[in-house]
Amino acid sequence: NVNAVTPYVMLSPEDRLFSVLPLHHTYESTIGFLYPMAMGASIAVCQGLKHLVPDIQATKPTAIIAVPLLLEALHKKINQTIDKSGKTSMVNTMIRLTNGLRNVGIDVKRKVFKDIYASLGGRLRILVSAAAPIDMKVGKWFEDIGLLFLQGYGLTGTAPIDALTPDFDTSVG
């Protein structure tokens, strides 16, 4: 399973995965532990859900593998912060503008959304949602701010990864 994932999601020794799910789950054990180790990447382990945001900020991960509920909660928290700052309209406008620029080969999302990235440790580039369906609007929003949003599916009885969105051809849903 580890070898089969390699062509679809590229990790390097500079990457750090943020481990949220328990390691006794086959998906987390394979993709959150064995795969990064095989690629020479490091792993940061969350101290618990109440420490999620501080742990992300402290460990500066490049990838997070999580269940949809956690990613939806993270999305909600980020957007509540944006709402409180009064910048919702500006963020939505910048999403439309940066999507248009990206369509013509200009990607400035990391610069434009640098404050959001800073709240996620500053280095995050990949989010993987697995174990259940996710609200497509949430996945699309993460893509809209410039994160690579992947979805995985597996069956414990067969293999933890039966299907995975490749990082070179993403499609939410």
Side-chain angles (χ1 to χ4, degrees):
N1 232 196
V2 169
N3 291 337
V5 170
T6 304
Y8 297 100
V9 181
M10 195 57 203
L11 292 183
S12 72
E14 290 78 39
D15 282 308
R16 177 175 300 133
L17 267 77
F18 187 72
S19 180
V20 182
L21 304 172
L23 279 174
H24 67 272
H25 290 172
T26 58
Y27 196 89
E28 181 67 17
S29 179
T30 304
I31 298 305
F33 180 68
L34 296 174
Y35 178 59
M37 296 293 267
M39 301 307 289
S42 62
I43 304 160
V45 179
C46 183
Q47 299 178 71
L49 292 180
K50 65 182 179 181
H51 303 284
L52 181 69
V53 174
D55 283 356
I56 288 172
Q57 291 170 342
T59 60
K60 301 177 182 352
T62 58
I64 299 174
I65 300 168
V67 295
L69 185 62
L70 187 127
L71 295 175
E72 289 165 352
L74 189 60
H75 170 261
K76 183 178 179 180
K77 178 121 175 107
I78 293 168
N79 279 286
Q80 285 173 342
T81 303
I82 293 168
D83 286 344
K84 284 181 187 175
S85 70
K87 295 182 178 179
T88 302
S89 178
M90 183 180 69
V91 168
N92 291 336
T93 298
M94 294 312 291
I95 284 173
R96 286 190 299 277
L97 178 64
T98 58
N99 281 343
L101 288 171
R102 192 178 214 176
N103 288 337
V104 295
I106 302 168
D107 189 359
V108 293
K109 290 180 180 284
R110 288 202 82 86
K111 289 180 184 176
V112 170
F113 301 113
K114 67 180 184 284
D115 292 341
I116 296 172
Y117 280 95
S119 72
L120 299 169
R123 297 182 40 200
L124 190 63
R125 65 182 183 88
I126 302 171
L127 283 178
V128 180
S129 177
I134 191 166
D135 181 345
M136 287 178 57
K137 287 184 238 167
V138 172
K140 176 83 171 90
W141 186 86
F142 281 122
E143 280 192 338
D144 284 343
I145 63 164
L147 292 170
L148 189 58
F149 186 81
L150 308 176
Q151 295 172 269
Y153 172 79
L155 297 170
T156 301
T158 57
I161 301 99
D162 289 329
L164 176 67
T165 309
D167 64 4
F168 53 83
D169 187 20
T170 63
S171 177
V172 177

mmCIF file of all heavy atoms in Angstrom, residues 52-96:
data_model
loop_
_atom_site.group_PDB
_atom_site.id
_atom_site.type_symbol
_atom_site.label_atom_id
_atom_site.label_comp_id
_atom_site.label_asym_id
_atom_site.label_seq_id
_atom_site.Cartn_x
_atom_site.Cartn_y
_atom_site.Cartn_z
ATOM 1 N N LEU A 52 -5.359 21.123 18.845
ATOM 2 C CA LEU A 52 -5.222 21.044 17.394
ATOM 3 C C LEU A 52 -4.566 22.290 16.783
ATOM 4 O O LEU A 52 -3.520 22.198 16.148
ATOM 5 C CB LEU A 52 -6.584 20.794 16.741
ATOM 6 C CG LEU A 52 -6.590 20.659 15.228
ATOM 7 C CD1 LEU A 52 -5.903 19.370 14.808
ATOM 8 C CD2 LEU A 52 -8.005 20.687 14.694
ATOM 9 N N VAL A 53 -5.160 23.451 16.976
ATOM 10 C CA VAL A 53 -4.645 24.669 16.338
ATOM 11 C C VAL A 53 -3.263 25.042 16.880
ATOM 12 O O VAL A 53 -2.344 25.295 16.090
ATOM 13 C CB VAL A 53 -5.655 25.832 16.447
ATOM 14 C CG1 VAL A 53 -5.063 27.126 15.926
ATOM 15 C CG2 VAL A 53 -6.936 25.480 15.668
ATOM 16 N N PRO A 54 -3.053 25.069 18.200
ATOM 17 C CA PRO A 54 -1.697 25.385 18.688
ATOM 18 C C PRO A 54 -0.642 24.381 18.202
ATOM 19 O O PRO A 54 0.486 24.774 17.888
ATOM 20 C CB PRO A 54 -1.821 25.348 20.216
ATOM 21 C CG PRO A 54 -3.269 25.466 20.512
ATOM 22 C CD PRO A 54 -4.001 24.947 19.312
ATOM 23 N N ASP A 55 -1.011 23.109 18.140
ATOM 24 C CA ASP A 55 -0.066 22.093 17.654
ATOM 25 C C ASP A 55 0.269 22.312 16.175
ATOM 26 O O ASP A 55 1.422 22.160 15.767
ATOM 27 C CB ASP A 55 -0.612 20.678 17.859
ATOM 28 C CG ASP A 55 -0.503 20.193 19.294
ATOM 29 O OD1 ASP A 55 0.064 20.922 20.138
ATOM 30 O OD2 ASP A 55 -0.979 19.071 19.568
ATOM 31 N N ILE A 56 -0.726 22.653 15.366
ATOM 32 C CA ILE A 56 -0.485 22.926 13.948
ATOM 33 C C ILE A 56 0.449 24.126 13.812
ATOM 34 O O ILE A 56 1.407 24.097 13.047
ATOM 35 C CB ILE A 56 -1.808 23.166 13.186
ATOM 36 C CG1 ILE A 56 -2.585 21.858 13.031
ATOM 37 C CG2 ILE A 56 -1.552 23.788 11.819
ATOM 38 C CD1 ILE A 56 -3.985 22.021 12.452
ATOM 39 N N GLN A 57 0.174 25.174 14.581
ATOM 40 C CA GLN A 57 1.007 26.375 14.503
ATOM 41 C C GLN A 57 2.434 26.103 14.969
ATOM 42 O O GLN A 57 3.385 26.627 14.400
ATOM 43 C CB GLN A 57 0.373 27.507 15.305
ATOM 44 C CG GLN A 57 -0.904 28.001 14.666
ATOM 45 C CD GLN A 57 -1.696 28.963 15.535
ATOM 46 O OE1 GLN A 57 -1.496 29.033 16.746
ATOM 47 N NE2 GLN A 57 -2.602 29.690 14.924
ATOM 48 N N ALA A 58 2.583 25.271 15.991
ATOM 49 C CA ALA A 58 3.921 24.991 16.544
ATOM 50 C C ALA A 58 4.738 24.058 15.654
ATOM 51 O O ALA A 58 5.949 24.236 15.505
ATOM 52 C CB ALA A 58 3.792 24.389 17.939
ATOM 53 N N THR A 59 4.092 23.075 15.033
ATOM 54 C CA THR A 59 4.837 22.057 14.283
ATOM 55 C C THR A 59 5.006 22.387 12.806
ATOM 56 O O THR A 59 5.807 21.765 12.123
ATOM 57 C CB THR A 59 4.161 20.677 14.412
ATOM 58 O OG1 THR A 59 2.829 20.743 13.892
ATOM 59 C CG2 THR A 59 4.128 20.217 15.866
ATOM 60 N N LYS A 60 4.238 23.346 12.295
ATOM 61 C CA LYS A 60 4.349 23.806 10.911
ATOM 62 C C LYS A 60 4.322 22.660 9.885
ATOM 63 O O LYS A 60 5.251 22.471 9.107
ATOM 64 C CB LYS A 60 5.606 24.649 10.728
ATOM 65 C CG LYS A 60 5.649 25.867 11.617
ATOM 66 C CD LYS A 60 6.919 26.632 11.460
ATOM 67 C CE LYS A 60 7.057 27.839 12.345
ATOM 68 N NZ LYS A 60 5.991 28.314 13.136
ATOM 69 N N PRO A 61 3.241 21.877 9.874
ATOM 70 C CA PRO A 61 3.186 20.743 8.946
ATOM 71 C C PRO A 61 3.018 21.180 7.497
ATOM 72 O O PRO A 61 2.555 22.286 7.211
ATOM 73 C CB PRO A 61 1.946 19.981 9.411
ATOM 74 C CG PRO A 61 1.062 21.035 9.993
ATOM 75 C CD PRO A 61 2.007 22.024 10.637
ATOM 76 N N THR A 62 3.400 20.295 6.584
ATOM 77 C CA THR A 62 3.150 20.517 5.160
ATOM 78 C C THR A 62 1.948 19.703 4.692
ATOM 79 O O THR A 62 1.413 19.964 3.620
ATOM 80 C CB THR A 62 4.378 20.135 4.308
ATOM 81 O OG1 THR A 62 4.703 18.768 4.549
ATOM 82 C CG2 THR A 62 5.566 21.031 4.635
ATOM 83 N N ALA A 63 1.529 18.725 5.507
ATOM 84 C CA ALA A 63 0.383 17.885 5.133
ATOM 85 C C ALA A 63 -0.382 17.455 6.376
ATOM 86 O O ALA A 63 0.222 17.191 7.424
ATOM 87 C CB ALA A 63 0.850 16.663 4.356
ATOM 88 N N ILE A 64 -1.693 17.384 6.227
ATOM 89 C CA ILE A 64 -2.560 16.894 7.296
ATOM 90 C C ILE A 64 -3.511 15.878 6.694
ATOM 91 O O ILE A 64 -4.146 16.140 5.673
ATOM 92 C CB ILE A 64 -3.376 18.032 7.949
ATOM 93 C CG1 ILE A 64 -2.452 19.066 8.590
ATOM 94 C CG2 ILE A 64 -4.362 17.471 8.977
ATOM 95 C CD1 ILE A 64 -3.176 20.292 9.139
ATOM 96 N N ILE A 65 -3.595 14.728 7.336
ATOM 97 C CA ILE A 65 -4.553 13.698 6.947
ATOM 98 C C ILE A 65 -5.584 13.647 8.065
ATOM 99 O O ILE A 65 -5.228 13.488 9.232
ATOM 100 C CB ILE A 65 -3.878 12.320 6.811
ATOM 101 C CG1 ILE A 65 -2.796 12.388 5.743
ATOM 102 C CG2 ILE A 65 -4.900 11.253 6.493
ATOM 103 C CD1 ILE A 65 -1.882 11.185 5.742
ATOM 104 N N ALA A 66 -6.853 13.809 7.704
ATOM 105 C CA ALA A 66 -7.883 13.871 8.738
ATOM 106 C C ALA A 66 -9.208 13.351 8.218
ATOM 107 O O ALA A 66 -9.385 13.154 7.020
ATOM 108 C CB ALA A 66 -8.035 15.313 9.224
ATOM 109 N N VAL A 67 -10.124 13.186 9.138
ATOM 110 C CA VAL A 67 -11.491 12.807 8.774
ATOM 111 C C VAL A 67 -12.247 14.079 8.407
ATOM 112 O O VAL A 67 -11.885 15.179 8.838
ATOM 113 C CB VAL A 67 -12.190 12.051 9.928
ATOM 114 C CG1 VAL A 67 -11.503 10.716 10.182
ATOM 115 C CG2 VAL A 67 -12.241 12.884 11.191
ATOM 116 N N PRO A 68 -13.297 13.963 7.602
ATOM 117 C CA PRO A 68 -14.048 15.145 7.175
ATOM 118 C C PRO A 68 -14.537 16.021 8.326
ATOM 119 O O PRO A 68 -14.480 17.249 8.231
ATOM 120 C CB PRO A 68 -15.221 14.558 6.387
ATOM 121 C CG PRO A 68 -14.682 13.279 5.846
ATOM 122 C CD PRO A 68 -13.785 12.749 6.931
ATOM 123 N N LEU A 69 -14.980 15.420 9.410
ATOM 124 C CA LEU A 69 -15.497 16.200 10.534
ATOM 125 C C LEU A 69 -14.448 17.180 11.057
ATOM 126 O O LEU A 69 -14.747 18.345 11.325
ATOM 127 C CB LEU A 69 -15.959 15.260 11.658
ATOM 128 C CG LEU A 69 -16.632 15.921 12.850
ATOM 129 C CD1 LEU A 69 -17.914 16.627 12.423
ATOM 130 C CD2 LEU A 69 -16.930 14.887 13.927
ATOM 131 N N LEU A 70 -13.218 16.741 11.140
ATOM 132 C CA LEU A 70 -12.147 17.602 11.621
ATOM 133 C C LEU A 70 -11.856 18.718 10.618
ATOM 134 O O LEU A 70 -11.682 19.878 10.994
ATOM 135 C CB LEU A 70 -10.886 16.788 11.892
ATOM 136 C CG LEU A 70 -9.788 17.599 12.543
ATOM 137 C CD1 LEU A 70 -9.310 16.897 13.798
ATOM 138 C CD2 LEU A 70 -8.658 17.797 11.585
ATOM 139 N N LEU A 71 -11.790 18.388 9.333
ATOM 140 C CA LEU A 71 -11.523 19.395 8.310
ATOM 141 C C LEU A 71 -12.672 20.395 8.207
ATOM 142 O O LEU A 71 -12.440 21.591 7.999
ATOM 143 C CB LEU A 71 -11.251 18.736 6.963
ATOM 144 C CG LEU A 71 -9.979 17.881 6.919
ATOM 145 C CD1 LEU A 71 -9.858 17.179 5.576
ATOM 146 C CD2 LEU A 71 -8.745 18.717 7.211
ATOM 147 N N GLU A 72 -13.903 19.919 8.379
ATOM 148 C CA GLU A 72 -15.050 20.823 8.360
ATOM 149 C C GLU A 72 -15.008 21.764 9.560
ATOM 150 O O GLU A 72 -15.316 22.950 9.444
ATOM 151 C CB GLU A 72 -16.356 20.022 8.306
ATOM 152 C CG GLU A 72 -16.567 19.368 6.954
ATOM 153 C CD GLU A 72 -17.642 18.282 6.923
ATOM 154 O OE1 GLU A 72 -18.157 17.904 8.002
ATOM 155 O OE2 GLU A 72 -17.956 17.820 5.814
ATOM 156 N N ALA A 73 -14.585 21.261 10.723
ATOM 157 C CA ALA A 73 -14.443 22.104 11.914
ATOM 158 C C ALA A 73 -13.331 23.131 11.723
ATOM 159 O O ALA A 73 -13.480 24.300 12.117
ATOM 160 C CB ALA A 73 -14.168 21.240 13.145
ATOM 161 N N LEU A 74 -12.235 22.723 11.115
ATOM 162 C CA LEU A 74 -11.128 23.645 10.833
ATOM 163 C C LEU A 74 -11.590 24.747 9.868
ATOM 164 O O LEU A 74 -11.319 25.931 10.084
ATOM 165 C CB LEU A 74 -9.947 22.866 10.254
ATOM 166 C CG LEU A 74 -8.632 23.598 10.077
ATOM 167 C CD1 LEU A 74 -8.114 24.125 11.401
ATOM 168 C CD2 LEU A 74 -7.602 22.667 9.439
ATOM 169 N N HIS A 75 -12.304 24.356 8.829
ATOM 170 C CA HIS A 75 -12.867 25.303 7.860
ATOM 171 C C HIS A 75 -13.778 26.306 8.574
ATOM 172 O O HIS A 75 -13.692 27.519 8.352
ATOM 173 C CB HIS A 75 -13.640 24.519 6.790
ATOM 174 C CG HIS A 75 -14.458 25.354 5.887
ATOM 175 N ND1 HIS A 75 -15.812 25.522 6.067
ATOM 176 C CD2 HIS A 75 -14.137 26.079 4.789
ATOM 177 C CE1 HIS A 75 -16.288 26.301 5.114
ATOM 178 N NE2 HIS A 75 -15.296 26.652 4.326
ATOM 179 N N LYS A 76 -14.638 25.805 9.439
ATOM 180 C CA LYS A 76 -15.573 26.655 10.171
ATOM 181 C C LYS A 76 -14.821 27.645 11.066
ATOM 182 O O LYS A 76 -15.143 28.834 11.096
ATOM 183 C CB LYS A 76 -16.519 25.790 11.012
ATOM 184 C CG LYS A 76 -17.571 26.569 11.754
ATOM 185 C CD LYS A 76 -18.487 25.630 12.516
ATOM 186 C CE LYS A 76 -19.543 26.408 13.285
ATOM 187 N NZ LYS A 76 -20.441 25.518 14.027
ATOM 188 N N LYS A 77 -13.811 27.163 11.772
ATOM 189 C CA LYS A 77 -13.031 28.025 12.672
ATOM 190 C C LYS A 77 -12.314 29.129 11.893
ATOM 191 O O LYS A 77 -12.321 30.289 12.306
ATOM 192 C CB LYS A 77 -12.030 27.178 13.451
ATOM 193 C CG LYS A 77 -11.128 27.939 14.367
ATOM 194 C CD LYS A 77 -11.302 27.468 15.778
ATOM 195 C CE LYS A 77 -10.309 28.142 16.700
ATOM 196 N NZ LYS A 77 -10.927 29.133 17.538
ATOM 197 N N ILE A 78 -11.695 28.768 10.780
ATOM 198 C CA ILE A 78 -11.003 29.771 9.954
ATOM 199 C C ILE A 78 -11.990 30.822 9.467
ATOM 200 O O ILE A 78 -11.728 32.022 9.533
ATOM 201 C CB ILE A 78 -10.286 29.106 8.758
ATOM 202 C CG1 ILE A 78 -9.129 28.232 9.243
ATOM 203 C CG2 ILE A 78 -9.792 30.158 7.768
ATOM 204 C CD1 ILE A 78 -8.560 27.319 8.172
ATOM 205 N N ASN A 79 -13.148 30.376 8.989
ATOM 206 C CA ASN A 79 -14.132 31.316 8.456
ATOM 207 C C ASN A 79 -14.778 32.169 9.545
ATOM 208 O O ASN A 79 -15.135 33.323 9.290
ATOM 209 C CB ASN A 79 -15.168 30.594 7.606
ATOM 210 C CG ASN A 79 -14.629 30.355 6.218
ATOM 211 O OD1 ASN A 79 -14.539 31.273 5.420
ATOM 212 N ND2 ASN A 79 -14.222 29.126 5.930
ATOM 213 N N GLN A 80 -14.895 31.644 10.757
ATOM 214 C CA GLN A 80 -15.383 32.470 11.865
ATOM 215 C C GLN A 80 -14.393 33.588 12.166
ATOM 216 O O GLN A 80 -14.787 34.726 12.421
ATOM 217 C CB GLN A 80 -15.608 31.609 13.114
ATOM 218 C CG GLN A 80 -16.838 30.755 13.055
ATOM 219 C CD GLN A 80 -16.949 29.790 14.229
ATOM 220 O OE1 GLN A 80 -15.979 29.497 14.928
ATOM 221 N NE2 GLN A 80 -18.161 29.281 14.447
ATOM 222 N N THR A 81 -13.104 33.275 12.106
ATOM 223 C CA THR A 81 -12.073 34.284 12.329
ATOM 224 C C THR A 81 -12.117 35.351 11.233
ATOM 225 O O THR A 81 -12.000 36.543 11.511
ATOM 226 C CB THR A 81 -10.678 33.620 12.379
ATOM 227 O OG1 THR A 81 -10.683 32.631 13.405
ATOM 228 C CG2 THR A 81 -9.591 34.632 12.650
ATOM 229 N N ILE A 82 -12.308 34.906 9.996
ATOM 230 C CA ILE A 82 -12.426 35.849 8.877
ATOM 231 C C ILE A 82 -13.651 36.739 9.071
ATOM 232 O O ILE A 82 -13.587 37.959 8.889
ATOM 233 C CB ILE A 82 -12.488 35.095 7.528
ATOM 234 C CG1 ILE A 82 -11.146 34.409 7.244
ATOM 235 C CG2 ILE A 82 -12.868 36.037 6.387
ATOM 236 C CD1 ILE A 82 -11.191 33.410 6.099
ATOM 237 N N ASP A 83 -14.785 36.132 9.460
ATOM 238 C CA ASP A 83 -16.016 36.901 9.702
ATOM 239 C C ASP A 83 -15.810 37.941 10.797
ATOM 240 O O ASP A 83 -16.221 39.098 10.651
ATOM 241 C CB ASP A 83 -17.173 35.977 10.089
ATOM 242 C CG ASP A 83 -17.720 35.176 8.922
ATOM 243 O OD1 ASP A 83 -17.429 35.530 7.759
ATOM 244 O OD2 ASP A 83 -18.420 34.177 9.175
ATOM 245 N N LYS A 84 -15.169 37.530 11.899
ATOM 246 C CA LYS A 84 -14.944 38.454 13.024
ATOM 247 C C LYS A 84 -14.065 39.633 12.624
ATOM 248 O O LYS A 84 -14.219 40.730 13.148
ATOM 249 C CB LYS A 84 -14.297 37.715 14.207
ATOM 250 C CG LYS A 84 -15.256 36.858 14.976
ATOM 251 C CD LYS A 84 -14.560 36.174 16.140
ATOM 252 C CE LYS A 84 -15.485 35.180 16.809
ATOM 253 N NZ LYS A 84 -14.812 34.421 17.866
ATOM 254 N N SER A 85 -13.154 39.399 11.697
ATOM 255 C CA SER A 85 -12.264 40.480 11.258
ATOM 256 C C SER A 85 -12.934 41.382 10.221
ATOM 257 O O SER A 85 -12.361 42.392 9.820
ATOM 258 C CB SER A 85 -10.966 39.901 10.688
ATOM 259 O OG SER A 85 -11.215 39.258 9.449
ATOM 260 N N GLY A 86 -14.121 40.990 9.762
ATOM 261 C CA GLY A 86 -14.839 41.792 8.772
ATOM 262 C C GLY A 86 -14.286 41.661 7.368
ATOM 263 O O GLY A 86 -14.516 42.534 6.530
ATOM 264 N N LYS A 87 -13.563 40.582 7.094
ATOM 265 C CA LYS A 87 -12.900 40.437 5.789
ATOM 266 C C LYS A 87 -13.531 39.375 4.887
ATOM 267 O O LYS A 87 -12.941 38.984 3.897
ATOM 268 C CB LYS A 87 -11.423 40.109 6.009
ATOM 269 C CG LYS A 87 -10.664 41.234 6.683
ATOM 270 C CD LYS A 87 -9.201 40.898 6.838
ATOM 271 C CE LYS A 87 -8.452 42.049 7.470
ATOM 272 N NZ LYS A 87 -7.038 41.747 7.664
ATOM 273 N N THR A 88 -14.729 38.932 5.205
ATOM 274 C CA THR A 88 -15.372 37.880 4.416
ATOM 275 C C THR A 88 -15.525 38.279 2.959
ATOM 276 O O THR A 88 -15.181 37.512 2.054
ATOM 277 C CB THR A 88 -16.742 37.508 5.015
ATOM 278 O OG1 THR A 88 -16.539 37.078 6.362
ATOM 279 C CG2 THR A 88 -17.414 36.408 4.229
ATOM 280 N N SER A 89 -16.028 39.464 2.721
ATOM 281 C CA SER A 89 -16.234 39.928 1.344
ATOM 282 C C SER A 89 -14.902 40.020 0.596
ATOM 283 O O SER A 89 -14.808 39.610 -0.569
ATOM 284 C CB SER A 89 -16.931 41.288 1.358
ATOM 285 O OG SER A 89 -17.092 41.763 0.053
ATOM 286 N N MET A 90 -13.878 40.528 1.280
ATOM 287 C CA MET A 90 -12.569 40.655 0.635
ATOM 288 C C MET A 90 -11.987 39.272 0.305
ATOM 289 O O MET A 90 -11.454 39.072 -0.793
ATOM 290 C CB MET A 90 -11.595 41.404 1.546
ATOM 291 C CG MET A 90 -10.237 41.616 0.890
ATOM 292 S SD MET A 90 -9.057 42.499 1.919
ATOM 293 C CE MET A 90 -8.735 41.325 3.199
ATOM 294 N N VAL A 91 -12.104 38.322 1.231
ATOM 295 C CA VAL A 91 -11.579 36.975 0.986
ATOM 296 C C VAL A 91 -12.302 36.335 -0.191
ATOM 297 O O VAL A 91 -11.670 35.748 -1.075
ATOM 298 C CB VAL A 91 -11.669 36.088 2.256
ATOM 299 C CG1 VAL A 91 -11.397 34.630 1.931
ATOM 300 C CG2 VAL A 91 -10.701 36.590 3.329
ATOM 301 N N ASN A 92 -13.622 36.463 -0.230
ATOM 302 C CA ASN A 92 -14.387 35.889 -1.349
ATOM 303 C C ASN A 92 -14.003 36.523 -2.683
ATOM 304 O O ASN A 92 -13.888 35.830 -3.695
ATOM 305 C CB ASN A 92 -15.887 36.019 -1.091
ATOM 306 C CG ASN A 92 -16.357 35.123 0.033
ATOM 307 O OD1 ASN A 92 -15.730 34.109 0.346
ATOM 308 N ND2 ASN A 92 -17.444 35.497 0.670
ATOM 309 N N THR A 93 -13.793 37.833 -2.685
ATOM 310 C CA THR A 93 -13.354 38.524 -3.902
ATOM 311 C C THR A 93 -11.974 38.034 -4.321
ATOM 312 O O THR A 93 -11.730 37.772 -5.506
ATOM 313 C CB THR A 93 -13.332 40.057 -3.673
ATOM 314 O OG1 THR A 93 -14.658 40.481 -3.370
ATOM 315 C CG2 THR A 93 -12.828 40.791 -4.905
ATOM 316 N N MET A 94 -11.072 37.884 -3.356
ATOM 317 C CA MET A 94 -9.713 37.429 -3.664
ATOM 318 C C MET A 94 -9.710 35.975 -4.149
ATOM 319 O O MET A 94 -8.892 35.614 -4.992
ATOM 320 C CB MET A 94 -8.795 37.611 -2.458
ATOM 321 C CG MET A 94 -8.569 39.080 -2.091
ATOM 322 S SD MET A 94 -8.133 40.133 -3.500
ATOM 323 C CE MET A 94 -6.513 39.530 -3.890
ATOM 324 N N ILE A 95 -10.620 35.164 -3.650
ATOM 325 C CA ILE A 95 -10.730 33.785 -4.147
ATOM 326 C C ILE A 95 -11.097 33.813 -5.628
ATOM 327 O O ILE A 95 -10.474 33.122 -6.444
ATOM 328 C CB ILE A 95 -11.748 32.965 -3.318
ATOM 329 C CG1 ILE A 95 -11.129 32.564 -1.969
ATOM 330 C CG2 ILE A 95 -12.208 31.721 -4.094
ATOM 331 C CD1 ILE A 95 -12.102 31.889 -1.010
ATOM 332 N N ARG A 96 -12.097 34.608 -5.982
ATOM 333 C CA ARG A 96 -12.507 34.700 -7.395
ATOM 334 C C ARG A 96 -11.357 35.228 -8.260
ATOM 335 O O ARG A 96 -11.081 34.700 -9.335
ATOM 336 C CB ARG A 96 -13.754 35.575 -7.547
ATOM 337 C CG ARG A 96 -15.027 34.899 -7.065
ATOM 338 C CD ARG A 96 -16.279 35.678 -7.430
ATOM 339 N NE ARG A 96 -16.335 37.012 -6.860
ATOM 340 C CZ ARG A 96 -16.750 37.306 -5.628
ATOM 341 N NH1 ARG A 96 -17.154 36.319 -4.832
ATOM 342 N NH2 ARG A 96 -16.789 38.548 -5.206
#
